[in-house]
Amino acid sequence: MTFITSFLSALLLTSMAYAADCTPITNRFLVTGNDFDKASYQVTMNSCTHVDPKGNSTDVVSLRSFKMRGELFNWVVNSKTLQTALVPQKCLQDCRTFQAADNTKYADLLTEATIVPSPTAGAGIQKAKEQTTEKFLTVDLCPSSKKLQTEIFEKIQSGYMTNVPVALAVSGYWIKNHHDEFVYLLQLQDQKKIKITWVNHSLTHPYDKTKGIEENFLLSPGVDFTREVLGNELVMLSQGLVPSVFFRFPGLISSDKLISQLKAWGLVPLGSNAWLGKGQKIKNGSVVLVHGNGNELSGLVLLYKALEIQPQINANWSDLNRVWNSVTDTMNTKP
């Protein structure tokens, strides 16, 4: 048996063991063939209690339900830490309809992040809520014919740490057309060089350079917003990814209507106050935005320059789930 076959078999057995004992699946898992039943995919939005094999209980919100390998699973978010996971539905108890007024970190974040200041403004989380030296690196992977800018991941390590936290805002069409580069990212994660938070960046990421923003990106006429959002979730899950609770609008362009729908699906819009390609500067607490798909090299030039001048920036990259505030507890999970 080859190394790759052995690895995949071990991954399958591990994820199946998780399912059997109620341990949440928080990392990449193996899905093959018809394991994932897309027709069973449903929005749930229920507040529940998850009970792990040791009897520990965690408050979660079930975002979606679906059938995988013949078993019902739920994609959930920890109400306190924002960590997402897949858990067997049988491991959820005391479920009730989620209320945005619930006094939890997740509910508060969802409410505040979906207050829209302008119909087309960069709505969503732009920086940390609290004063912090932490910074949050996000790399957008929109559909592109150009190669992945792999040097990003070499630069941000710079000898400071392993498991460098980085959020990848990925579109389904980028995954479809960049298989080898997608595998490269997964390998970096498996080698513990980077720790990826997967952000939904829409399925097709529509864009027409001849149109103004009022009728562009997801505001383009005829766009199926449900397909763009939920369809990309299906792509991510079918690739064995556990999506985060964040959604980044293409171009950071949205509307009241789209934000309202996103909130109903339990997703948090992710903005930025340091889109480097637009000349914005990195500050303490910034959600930093660069493009890794080869379409906006100016932002990468500014990122690399900033790292040369202030190499300690790399020591302050933090997990995107901490952008709301810092917490130390996590979902009970196996390493």
Side-chain angles (χ1 to χ4, degrees):
M1 183 180 290
T2 66
F3 170 78
I4 293 177
T5 302
S6 299
F7 173 76
L8 292 178
S9 297
L11 189 60
L12 175 59
L13 290 173
T14 300
S15 60
M16 289 178 68
Y18 282 9
D21 68 7
C22 290
T23 304
I25 301 171
T26 57
N27 298 316
R28 185 162 62 97
F29 60 99
L30 180 64
V31 182
T32 59
N34 296 320
D35 286 348
F36 189 83
D37 182 2
K38 295 182 179 180
S40 66
Y41 200 65
Q42 294 183 359
V43 176
T44 47
M45 294 308 297
N46 290 320
S47 296
C48 303
T49 298
H50 170 261
V51 181
D52 72 8
K54 296 181 179 180
N56 300 313
S57 60
T58 303
D59 292 334
V60 300
V61 175
S62 169
L63 304 170
R64 313 284 185 265
S65 67
F66 56 90
K67 189 174 290 187
M68 183 168 64
R69 304 186 197 102
E71 183 176 5
L72 286 173
F73 277 79
N74 287 64
W75 171 37
V76 304
V77 57
N78 185 311
S79 298
K80 190 173 184 179
T81 68
L82 304 184
Q83 183 175 7
T84 52
L86 305 184
V87 298
Q89 193 171 96
K90 65 186 179 184
C91 303
L92 298 179
Q93 301 178 4
D94 304 323
C95 292
R96 57 179 175 80
T97 302
F98 168 74
Q99 300 293 330
D102 288 350
N103 185 26
T104 66
K105 175 182 174 181
Y106 167 68
D108 290 346
L109 174 65
L110 185 63
T111 297
E112 292 199 24
T114 51
I115 298 173
V116 185
S118 170
T120 57
I125 300 299
Q126 299 182 359
K127 61 180 182 178
K129 182 180 181 182
E130 300 179 348
Q131 291 292 330
T132 178
T133 59
E134 294 175 313
K135 301 163 185 69
F136 308 90
L137 179 62
T138 66
V139 179
D140 283 12
L141 297 176
C142 328
S144 173
S145 60
K146 299 175 183 177
K147 292 183 178 180
L148 175 72
Q149 303 297 300
T150 57
E151 69 274 9
I152 300 174
F153 309 102
E154 299 165 4
K155 296 276 188 182
I156 62 174
Q157 293 178 65
S158 302
Y160 274 87
M161 64 176 85
T162 57
N163 268 330
V164 180
V166 55
L168 298 184
V170 64
S171 59
Y173 275 25
W174 186 88
I175 292 177
K176 177 182 178 181
N177 295 312
H178 294 265
H179 174 74
D180 291 346
E181 293 161 319
F182 176 63
V183 170
Y184 162 80
L185 293 172
L186 297 178
Q187 290 172 339
L188 288 183
Q189 182 172 245
D190 290 341
Q191 295 164 6
K192 299 188 183 303
K193 294 182 177 179
I194 60 176
K195 180 182 178 183
I196 303 173
T197 298
W198 296 99
V199 176
N200 189 337
H201 197 33
S202 80
L203 180 64
T204 72
H205 191 296
Y207 174 67
D208 186 339
K209 63 181 179 181
T210 68
K211 300 288 184 63
I213 59 174
E214 296 81 3
E215 52 178 352
N216 214 333
F217 298 107
L218 294 182
L219 301 182
S220 302
V223 164
D224 183 341
F225 190 55
T226 299
R227 177 173 179 263
E228 291 293 336
V229 179
L230 303 188
N232 202 42
E233 291 175 2
L234 287 170
V235 169
M236 296 168 78
L237 287 164
S238 67
Q239 293 295 324
L241 308 180
V242 179
S244 72
V245 77
F246 296 99
F247 178 86
R248 172 161 278 162
F249 280 94
L252 301 189
I253 301 302
S254 60
S255 69
D256 290 342
K257 180 180 179 181
L258 297 187
I259 290 289
S260 178
Q261 180 60 74
L262 201 68
K263 181 179 182 180
W265 289 331
L267 300 180
V268 175
L270 179 66
S272 170
N273 72 343
W275 185 340
L276 301 190
K278 292 189 177 295
Q280 297 175 340
K281 306 296 184 182
I282 301 176
K283 302 175 182 179
N284 285 340
S286 283
V287 174
V288 180
L289 190 164
V290 295
H291 282 75
N293 62 349
N295 284 355
E296 194 177 63
L297 298 181
S298 60
L300 298 182
V301 171
L302 292 173
L303 175 64
Y304 302 154
K305 184 177 180 180
L307 294 180
E308 289 176 5
I309 297 172
Q310 296 180 281
Q312 71 273 18
I313 289 176
N314 269 349
N316 289 324
W317 294 130
S318 189
D319 190 307
L320 186 60
N321 287 342
R322 292 167 59 93
V323 71
W324 190 237
N325 55 35
S326 296
V327 292
T328 57
D329 53 330
T330 59
M331 292 188 74
N332 298 299
T333 182
K334 293 180 180 177

